[in-house]
Structures are given as structure tokens and as C-alpha cells.
Amino acid sequence: MVAQIAVNAPVDNTFDYHVPPELEGKLEPGHLVQVPFGTGLQHGIVLALHAQSAVRQTKPIHSRLDPQPVLTEDQIDFAWWISRTTLAPIGLCLWLLLPPGITGGRDLIVTLVDANARLNDPLERDIVELLARRGALRGSQLNQALPGKPWRVAVDGLAKAGVIEKEPILTAPRVRPKTIHRVSLAIHPKDIDKAIQVAARPSRGADVLETVAAFSGSLLRTPANKAAVDKLAQLGYVTVGGDGTVMLAVSRDSVPALVDSLRKLEKPRRVLRLLAREGEAMDVSWVYAQANVTLADLKRMADDGLILLGEQSTWRDSLAERDFVPSEPPTLTPEQQAAWAEVREAIENATPPPTPPRFRGGEEKKVADIPYRNWQSATELWEKLKPLGREMRQKPTPAEDRLWDALRQNQVNGFKFRRQHTIDRFIIDFVCNDAKLIVEVDGGIHQYTQEEDALRQEFLESLGYRVIRFTNDQVLRALDDVLQRIGAVLHASP
């Protein structure tokens, strides 16, 4: 008996192997086997069985990896269709239908044949008694029943003596959906400033600073508050007079932010404002990058009832984001062939134009005119933000997509814009580095994050950028007005 086998290798042919006596009557199409291939062993799938082979000399099948076929005959026919249609090797087409790692987990099953055999080895007697009591067992079960004992050597000896039968099997594939942690707000965005106080850490210094701000000049340094007052003075928040009077050394408007810092509320506040702006559950990796927090920070916030942590399963798709280009040109009609002949001649005989000078606001731009960008993202933060920016470019909102169509390829006054560009810890919608101009497109949720937007804008302006904002409605309904305003700002750029 001869088996036609397709190996898991990029080869176009199938191969004939003869069935050894121990596998006679045990093979059928779809079985996963191991066969000699080249100088080693290779996995293969049985496609068909024949009485004889056209090849004069064949090699034997080494082993069958599982008693159950891994593919049906219909699946094999489907793989042949894929191979013929795409001109891909049949082996690779068959393995597309199998779960990843199917050959990685192996075990064996041991079955008792002769329960009355006379045995001298104590371990062999233990194995036979165990099989007689519990029935056929897997190797993993023998590991648990006989921990630390060399049962595999004993099983080999028993199999050779005909007392037991052992057969290789495949373990269940370990492929499973990827689990993504998700985080969402557990409170209303309007209640952030009030609810966040539950996350505040005890701080004697914060208590003293609030008292000094409320009753400046009426607090004295005493042995009870000396450590806290000295720490605040060292930070430059207060001053201590010769008579021990504690005075405020910063503006009253800055006190709430300083108190938040002392009570470790900056991270929780960043997370809550980020979630309020997004308006829906977010992947924690986005939150890590945008708010510069860790899973431990999020778990503390979840324990405080500020956010909800959950999980979501997503299946891996190995073909996602892959483009398949036909290897053969399509068939053209006579009219298309005539048009293509002219186009092809023009392409082949065309003289490449000289590289045009680059312009900036109507004047030729020189390298010296480009301002030095004095900001730089930390390497760890950049590694987090880079894939997020790429994903945002691939999935823009309708307003962002429409505005990008109008800004790309230097369409506005010859200035070059970038989209979803990283500056420090922020991902900017659109930026023109030559003119130091940032264009942001905001959704409705920004009504809850005016303070955050102001702080973000203040930081970006400190780097020399100008920031202008438009709503989604403005971009979608009045794009010409939006572009006119962007052009005016660019024209006025220094």
C-alpha cells in the first residue's frame, strides 16, 4: 500500500511513501504523519491511498501522529482548489486549514493488552496495575500518577514485550482568542472633580498648604507641623518668617494643582479626562501611552470606583492588513489594449522633470529657515505612541479624513502637513512643522475637557506652536471656510 502525501514545505509536488506493516489498515486521507524528507523528518498529510506507486523505490512512513484525521476529504478537495487557483504549493494550502501549532503539542496513549503478563520490574507492575484499574491513559496522566519515575523507559519495554500498546496522539491546539483589557468611566464626566477625591493619598503637606492658602499669615510653625512646613518651604511653596509665621509663596490660583500633586492625583485626573474625551471604553494600551500610567494605577482607580476594568476577546487574523496583488495582468478589451499602448509608450519615453524647489509661503525655503524642534519624546513613550498614531491614521474620523484630503500633498499655500503626529506625549491631528501650526478637529465630548484642552494647548504653545481648532460640523459642512482660515494663518506665519 502506498500513500500520496503532501509535506509542510514550499514544494509543488506530492510524494509517495509506502505504508509499513504496523500502520497497515490504520491510515486514511487526512491523517497527519511524519515522513523522512531530505536528511530529516517532516510533517505531512495523507491525500490518498493507492495499491502501487509509479516510483520504483519509496521510503516508509515513519509514524502516524494521531489516530483521528486532521482534515476531511472535502477540506482536502478545497485545498486542491486553492492550489490550482493561486498556483500555491498544495502543502501550504492544506496547512492554512489547520490551527497554528497543531504539531507542537504531542502526547501518547497507552492501552493494556495482556493484564496477566508476568513481570519482575516493580515499575512495570505498577504501570500494568494502573492501566488495569483506570483503562487507557495518556502520557500526561502517567506523569501525574507516577511523579518522578522513569515510566517512559518501562512503557517502551512493555510495548516491545506485547504487554501494552502505545500510540502517539496530538494534544488539543492551544490557539485561543487574544484578550484585551478595556477601561471605561464609572462616573459621569461632570462629577470628575468631586469624585476624584476618593483617590487622594494622605498628605500632611497638602493639608498645611490648603490651610496656609485659606489663612495666610495666621499659621505658625510648630513641632507638630514642622516637618511638613519645612518640606513645603524647600519646594518653594511657602516661606517662614523669623517669628515662625508661615506665608504663601505661590499664587493662590496654583494651589489646587500643587495640592493634587502632593496627594498624587495627577495620574487619576489624566485618566479620567482622557476617558471623558473619548466617551467610550478604551484599550488600556492607549491609556498607558496617553496618560503615562500603569496597570497598577488603573487597578487602584477601579478599587476606588472611578473606572471599570474589563476584558474583551479578539481573534487574531493573520491575513489582516495584507494586500494580495495578482501575479498575472488582467485580460484587456481591444479598446483597453489600444489605450494602454499609448500610455505605456508615454511612460517609457517620458523624461523625468527636474526636481522643483520647495516653497514656504511664496518664498523659496532653505534648510536654515526651518526652526529647530527643541522637543523630544522619551524612547519608552515613543514606542507606545508610534503604533497608536499608525492605527489612528488607518482609522480616521469622517471629519479628519475629509480635512486630510484637502491638506495633503502641500495643497494649502505649498505647506506640508503631517497627520496623527506625535509631539511629546500627545498625538496631534494635523501639524505643519515648517509654519509651527497645529490644526485640531474636536468632537462634542470636548465640552467636558475645556481645562485639559487649555493645558494641552498651553504646553504646545510653549514649544512655539500655534493651535487652531475646528469642530467636526465645521469641517464637514463648511470645509472651504476652514481651509480659508488655515491659509490665512499660514500666510501670516513668520
Side-chain angles (χ1 to χ4, degrees), residues 92-114:
L92 300 185
C93 297
L94 289 166
W95 254 262
L96 286 175
L97 306 180
L98 299 178
I102 188 172
T103 59
R106 302 185 193 177
D107 204 345
L108 57 85
I109 188 166
V110 181
T111 307
L112 181 61
V113 176
D114 184 4

mmCIF file of all heavy atoms in Angstrom, residues 92-114:
data_model
loop_
_atom_site.group_PDB
_atom_site.id
_atom_site.type_symbol
_atom_site.label_atom_id
_atom_site.label_comp_id
_atom_site.label_asym_id
_atom_site.label_seq_id
_atom_site.Cartn_x
_atom_site.Cartn_y
_atom_site.Cartn_z
ATOM 1 N N LEU A 92 1.213 23.916 1.555
ATOM 2 C CA LEU A 92 0.935 25.175 2.243
ATOM 3 C C LEU A 92 -0.569 25.448 2.283
ATOM 4 O O LEU A 92 -1.075 26.008 3.262
ATOM 5 C CB LEU A 92 1.669 26.319 1.552
ATOM 6 C CG LEU A 92 3.200 26.195 1.490
ATOM 7 C CD1 LEU A 92 3.809 27.455 0.890
ATOM 8 C CD2 LEU A 92 3.785 25.919 2.863
ATOM 9 N N CYS A 93 -1.294 25.067 1.223
ATOM 10 C CA CYS A 93 -2.745 25.274 1.204
ATOM 11 C C CYS A 93 -3.429 24.400 2.250
ATOM 12 O O CYS A 93 -4.399 24.825 2.891
ATOM 13 C CB CYS A 93 -3.310 24.967 -0.184
ATOM 14 S SG CYS A 93 -2.698 26.059 -1.481
ATOM 15 N N LEU A 94 -2.940 23.180 2.441
ATOM 16 C CA LEU A 94 -3.517 22.296 3.462
ATOM 17 C C LEU A 94 -3.281 22.857 4.860
ATOM 18 O O LEU A 94 -4.177 22.830 5.710
ATOM 19 C CB LEU A 94 -2.894 20.900 3.347
ATOM 20 C CG LEU A 94 -3.309 20.069 2.120
ATOM 21 C CD1 LEU A 94 -2.372 18.891 1.949
ATOM 22 C CD2 LEU A 94 -4.749 19.590 2.257
ATOM 23 N N TRP A 95 -2.082 23.381 5.083
ATOM 24 C CA TRP A 95 -1.778 23.884 6.432
ATOM 25 C C TRP A 95 -2.526 25.175 6.757
ATOM 26 O O TRP A 95 -2.653 25.530 7.920
ATOM 27 C CB TRP A 95 -0.267 24.066 6.601
ATOM 28 C CG TRP A 95 0.306 22.989 7.464
ATOM 29 C CD1 TRP A 95 0.586 23.063 8.795
ATOM 30 C CD2 TRP A 95 0.642 21.650 7.068
ATOM 31 N NE1 TRP A 95 1.075 21.863 9.249
ATOM 32 C CE2 TRP A 95 1.123 20.969 8.211
ATOM 33 C CE3 TRP A 95 0.571 20.961 5.876
ATOM 34 C CZ2 TRP A 95 1.540 19.650 8.191
ATOM 35 C CZ3 TRP A 95 0.991 19.633 5.847
ATOM 36 C CH2 TRP A 95 1.458 18.996 6.987
ATOM 37 N N LEU A 96 -3.053 25.865 5.756
ATOM 38 C CA LEU A 96 -3.913 27.021 6.035
ATOM 39 C C LEU A 96 -5.179 26.615 6.773
ATOM 40 O O LEU A 96 -5.778 27.425 7.481
ATOM 41 C CB LEU A 96 -4.297 27.730 4.723
ATOM 42 C CG LEU A 96 -3.227 28.557 4.017
ATOM 43 C CD1 LEU A 96 -3.764 29.070 2.694
ATOM 44 C CD2 LEU A 96 -2.783 29.719 4.897
ATOM 45 N N LEU A 97 -5.602 25.359 6.601
ATOM 46 C CA LEU A 97 -6.847 24.887 7.198
ATOM 47 C C LEU A 97 -6.649 24.318 8.596
ATOM 48 O O LEU A 97 -7.616 23.898 9.235
ATOM 49 C CB LEU A 97 -7.471 23.807 6.296
ATOM 50 C CG LEU A 97 -7.690 24.206 4.825
ATOM 51 C CD1 LEU A 97 -8.297 23.049 4.057
ATOM 52 C CD2 LEU A 97 -8.577 25.435 4.722
ATOM 53 N N LEU A 98 -5.412 24.287 9.069
ATOM 54 C CA LEU A 98 -5.118 23.730 10.388
ATOM 55 C C LEU A 98 -4.826 24.843 11.384
ATOM 56 O O LEU A 98 -4.276 25.884 11.019
ATOM 57 C CB LEU A 98 -3.906 22.790 10.306
ATOM 58 C CG LEU A 98 -4.058 21.562 9.396
ATOM 59 C CD1 LEU A 98 -2.759 20.772 9.388
ATOM 60 C CD2 LEU A 98 -5.207 20.691 9.851
ATOM 61 N N PRO A 99 -5.168 24.659 12.649
ATOM 62 C CA PRO A 99 -4.857 25.678 13.658
ATOM 63 C C PRO A 99 -3.353 25.785 13.868
ATOM 64 O O PRO A 99 -2.636 24.781 13.775
ATOM 65 C CB PRO A 99 -5.563 25.167 14.923
ATOM 66 C CG PRO A 99 -5.737 23.707 14.694
ATOM 67 C CD PRO A 99 -5.903 23.521 13.220
ATOM 68 N N PRO A 100 -2.845 26.985 14.132
ATOM 69 C CA PRO A 100 -1.400 27.145 14.363
ATOM 70 C C PRO A 100 -0.927 26.279 15.532
ATOM 71 O O PRO A 100 -1.624 26.133 16.534
ATOM 72 C CB PRO A 100 -1.247 28.639 14.673
ATOM 73 C CG PRO A 100 -2.468 29.280 14.091
ATOM 74 C CD PRO A 100 -3.562 28.271 14.195
ATOM 75 N N GLY A 101 0.235 25.713 15.383
ATOM 76 C CA GLY A 101 0.831 24.936 16.465
ATOM 77 C C GLY A 101 0.243 23.562 16.660
ATOM 78 O O GLY A 101 0.441 22.953 17.720
ATOM 79 N N ILE A 102 -0.475 23.035 15.646
ATOM 80 C CA ILE A 102 -1.116 21.734 15.833
ATOM 81 C C ILE A 102 -0.102 20.617 16.029
ATOM 82 O O ILE A 102 -0.367 19.635 16.729
ATOM 83 C CB ILE A 102 -2.042 21.418 14.629
ATOM 84 C CG1 ILE A 102 -2.853 20.158 14.914
ATOM 85 C CG2 ILE A 102 -1.240 21.276 13.342
ATOM 86 C CD1 ILE A 102 -3.918 19.861 13.890
ATOM 87 N N THR A 103 1.081 20.745 15.436
ATOM 88 C CA THR A 103 2.093 19.693 15.585
ATOM 89 C C THR A 103 3.032 19.946 16.762
ATOM 90 O O THR A 103 3.927 19.147 17.020
ATOM 91 C CB THR A 103 2.932 19.578 14.297
ATOM 92 O OG1 THR A 103 3.559 20.841 14.034
ATOM 93 C CG2 THR A 103 2.065 19.204 13.117
ATOM 94 N N GLY A 104 2.830 21.057 17.463
ATOM 95 C CA GLY A 104 3.751 21.394 18.552
ATOM 96 C C GLY A 104 3.493 20.607 19.819
ATOM 97 O O GLY A 104 4.419 20.314 20.579
ATOM 98 N N GLY A 105 2.228 20.260 20.100
ATOM 99 C CA GLY A 105 1.907 19.530 21.322
ATOM 100 C C GLY A 105 1.650 18.061 21.032
ATOM 101 O O GLY A 105 0.704 17.724 20.327
ATOM 102 N N ARG A 106 2.467 17.198 21.565
ATOM 103 C CA ARG A 106 2.319 15.766 21.328
ATOM 104 C C ARG A 106 2.248 15.013 22.652
ATOM 105 O O ARG A 106 2.776 15.458 23.662
ATOM 106 C CB ARG A 106 3.480 15.213 20.499
ATOM 107 C CG ARG A 106 3.646 15.877 19.160
ATOM 108 C CD ARG A 106 4.735 15.184 18.375
ATOM 109 N NE ARG A 106 5.142 15.975 17.222
ATOM 110 C CZ ARG A 106 6.119 15.622 16.405
ATOM 111 N NH1 ARG A 106 6.795 14.515 16.612
ATOM 112 N NH2 ARG A 106 6.436 16.390 15.375
ATOM 113 N N ASP A 107 1.591 13.894 22.596
ATOM 114 C CA ASP A 107 1.475 13.017 23.754
ATOM 115 C C ASP A 107 1.380 11.590 23.218
ATOM 116 O O ASP A 107 1.506 11.362 22.010
ATOM 117 C CB ASP A 107 0.243 13.394 24.577
ATOM 118 C CG ASP A 107 0.361 12.953 26.030
ATOM 119 O OD1 ASP A 107 1.248 12.127 26.327
ATOM 120 O OD2 ASP A 107 -0.436 13.416 26.857
ATOM 121 N N LEU A 108 1.159 10.648 24.100
ATOM 122 C CA LEU A 108 0.918 9.281 23.660
ATOM 123 C C LEU A 108 -0.181 8.691 24.525
ATOM 124 O O LEU A 108 -0.432 9.153 25.644
ATOM 125 C CB LEU A 108 2.193 8.436 23.699
ATOM 126 C CG LEU A 108 2.956 8.299 25.028
ATOM 127 C CD1 LEU A 108 2.389 7.178 25.886
ATOM 128 C CD2 LEU A 108 4.431 8.021 24.757
ATOM 129 N N ILE A 109 -0.846 7.682 24.018
ATOM 130 C CA ILE A 109 -1.878 6.986 24.779
ATOM 131 C C ILE A 109 -1.444 5.538 24.927
ATOM 132 O O ILE A 109 -0.998 4.894 23.971
ATOM 133 C CB ILE A 109 -3.259 7.113 24.097
ATOM 134 C CG1 ILE A 109 -4.337 6.540 25.019
ATOM 135 C CG2 ILE A 109 -3.288 6.473 22.734
ATOM 136 C CD1 ILE A 109 -5.741 6.924 24.597
ATOM 137 N N VAL A 110 -1.542 5.024 26.147
ATOM 138 C CA VAL A 110 -1.068 3.685 26.485
ATOM 139 C C VAL A 110 -2.274 2.815 26.821
ATOM 140 O O VAL A 110 -3.097 3.175 27.673
ATOM 141 C CB VAL A 110 -0.083 3.728 27.667
ATOM 142 C CG1 VAL A 110 0.431 2.330 27.984
ATOM 143 C CG2 VAL A 110 1.083 4.664 27.358
ATOM 144 N N THR A 111 -2.371 1.668 26.149
ATOM 145 C CA THR A 111 -3.504 0.746 26.333
ATOM 146 C C THR A 111 -2.984 -0.628 26.762
ATOM 147 O O THR A 111 -2.000 -1.143 26.190
ATOM 148 C CB THR A 111 -4.308 0.607 25.028
ATOM 149 O OG1 THR A 111 -4.676 1.901 24.568
ATOM 150 C CG2 THR A 111 -5.560 -0.222 25.243
ATOM 151 N N LEU A 112 -3.626 -1.228 27.747
ATOM 152 C CA LEU A 112 -3.217 -2.545 28.246
ATOM 153 C C LEU A 112 -3.710 -3.637 27.288
ATOM 154 O O LEU A 112 -4.879 -3.663 26.902
ATOM 155 C CB LEU A 112 -3.787 -2.764 29.646
ATOM 156 C CG LEU A 112 -3.427 -4.091 30.334
ATOM 157 C CD1 LEU A 112 -1.907 -4.196 30.514
ATOM 158 C CD2 LEU A 112 -4.140 -4.199 31.674
ATOM 159 N N VAL A 113 -2.812 -4.575 26.935
ATOM 160 C CA VAL A 113 -3.148 -5.692 26.055
ATOM 161 C C VAL A 113 -3.200 -7.011 26.830
ATOM 162 O O VAL A 113 -4.132 -7.817 26.667
ATOM 163 C CB VAL A 113 -2.128 -5.794 24.902
ATOM 164 C CG1 VAL A 113 -2.407 -7.022 24.036
ATOM 165 C CG2 VAL A 113 -2.147 -4.533 24.063
ATOM 166 N N ASP A 114 -2.205 -7.247 27.689
ATOM 167 C CA ASP A 114 -2.124 -8.510 28.434
ATOM 168 C C ASP A 114 -2.012 -8.194 29.914
ATOM 169 O O ASP A 114 -0.930 -7.871 30.418
ATOM 170 C CB ASP A 114 -0.919 -9.322 27.947
ATOM 171 C CG ASP A 114 -0.821 -10.687 28.617
ATOM 172 O OD1 ASP A 114 -1.730 -11.025 29.399
ATOM 173 O OD2 ASP A 114 0.170 -11.405 28.354
#
